Amino acid sequence: DTEVTQTPKHLVMGMTNKKSLKCEQHMGHRAMYWYKQKAKKPPELMFVYSYEKLSINESVPSRFSPECPNSSLLNLHLHALQPEDSALYLCASSQGISYEQYFGPGTRLTVT
Amino acid sequence: GENVEQHPSTLSVQEGDSAVIKCTYSDSASNYFPWYKQELGKRPQLIIDIRSNVGEKKDQRIAVTLNKTAKHFSLHITETQPEDSAVYFCAASRAGGFKTIFGAGTRLFVKA
């Protein structure tokens, strides 16, 4: 299984809502990533988990809260988002440093 | 900080012609250079990658070259086909780090 799955595919939320994005991989990868991608822009790294520990936080606002419950799962908890947070949120995983990243299909988030 | 510049931003070619996309990176410690293809509404997918100990790599119609001295790498697609139409991102990551820096992307159009 070389697939990364993400749920939900689409999410519309108000600025006062709390929601979570989920990501799962069963490739035995020990590194998992969250990216944000705006239209016609490259993916922008948000967080990296390595061996279930937060390795990188790219100065992301605290209204985004990542969680790695186990080696196969990655969550992104959302609270009090702003309209400018509307974007495609991509999860990815890799064997480790300097290896191919496998991306999930993304969650298209709209904040109203 | 680290930066990857990518050119051109848009490239239009006739089916059967070659396409070349060029990238320049700033971090001399970078050692892994992947290229991702992203079709409209889909996830980025790796098409080829190269490591700093190799100058050139080829996979069927796709090739990548790396010039470490100039901190420059390029993607070459020969005999282009309409299904090659997509956005292509170059990227660079440094030894010992999970962070991947993406170029701004090249939108390739292959006209039948």
Side-chain angles (χ1 to χ4, degrees), chain A residues 53-81:
Chain A
K53 286 187 168 41
L54 186 63
S55 177
I56 295 178
N57 176 341
E58 287 289 287
S59 303
V60 178
S62 59
R63 56 186 185 268
F64 294 92
S65 175
E67 179 196 16
C68 190
N70 61 54
S71 59
S72 301
L73 292 173
L74 187 65
N75 298 323
L76 186 63
H77 303 297
L78 315 172
H79 173 55
L81 294 192

Side-chain angles (χ1 to χ4, degrees), chain A residues 1 22 33 86 96:
Chain A
D1 183 1
K22 295 186 183 304
Y33 312 73
S86 298

Side-chain angles (χ1 to χ4, degrees), chain A residues 37 42 58 98 100-101 103-104, chain B residues 36 38 43 51 99-100 103:
Chain A
Q37 187 177 30
E58 287 289 287
S98 300
E100 173 184 0
Q101 291 184 31
F103 285 85
Chain B
Y36 289 89
Q38 188 173 26
R43 71 189 83 188
R51 299 183 187 279
K99 186 170 180 178
T100 298

Side-chain angles (χ1 to χ4, degrees), chain A residues 2-4 37 43 90-92 100-105, chain B residues 32 34-49 62 75 83 86-90 102:
Chain A
T2 57
E3 195 176 0
V4 176
Q37 187 177 30
L90 293 162
C91 173
E100 173 184 0
Q101 291 184 31
Y102 290 80
F103 285 85
Chain B
Y32 176 62
W35 286 87
Y36 289 89
K37 174 184 180 183
Q38 188 173 26
E39 296 177 57
L40 192 63
K42 300 211 172 160
R43 71 189 83 188
Q45 290 193 292
L46 184 86
I47 54 170
I48 196 165
D49 56 11
I62 295 172
L75 178 72
E83 50 265 39
V87 178
Y88 291 81
F89 294 104
C90 63
F102 285 83

